[in-house]
Amino acid sequence: PGRAFLFQRNGNIWVAYWHTSGEGFLQLPIAAKQLALMKELGKSTAVNGNGKELKVPLGERRYLEFPKLTRQEVIAAFQNARILSS
């Protein structure tokens, strides 16, 4: 039910992601301090998480910027992500 598109912008790895038919949450095995969550590019919003994982809303399209991670680290995080119902 979730889709994601990985791209590079301004030297950082980004992911655009969304739910195909509803809403929920995406749980990623990554520390919240390693990314920025945006509904619109350039406008960060708060992220819920601890030092090992985080939970972000999954519904309409949002963006995650990963300034400290490599492309492979981001791919691995999404491969190990879980979709949680709302």
Side-chain angles (χ1 to χ4, degrees):
R3 299 279 188 246
F5 177 78
L6 185 137
F7 60 99
Q8 188 170 348
R9 181 175 186 255
N10 297 329
N12 292 332
I13 301 300
W14 289 70
V15 172
Y17 73 97
W18 61 95
H19 197 292
T20 58
S21 63
E23 294 186 358
F25 293 94
L26 182 65
Q27 187 172 357
L28 292 161
I30 219 165
K33 66 181 180 179
Q34 294 180 302
L35 61 83
L37 171 65
M38 297 172 216
K39 197 170 184 179
E40 295 179 37
L41 292 177
K43 296 181 181 180
S44 295
T45 59
V47 178
N48 295 325
N50 57 35
K52 296 181 183 179
E53 62 185 18
L54 62 94
K55 186 168 80 169
V56 292
L58 180 61
E60 61 188 2
R61 184 180 59 223
R62 288 184 171 82
Y63 302 92
L64 294 170
E65 179 184 18
F66 299 90
K68 299 178 181 182
L69 298 179
T70 67
R71 175 182 170 86
Q72 288 307 113
E73 289 171 324
V74 173
I75 290 171
F78 273 82
Q79 287 174 334
N80 293 301
R82 292 186 333 164
I83 294 177
L84 309 171
S85 54
S86 51

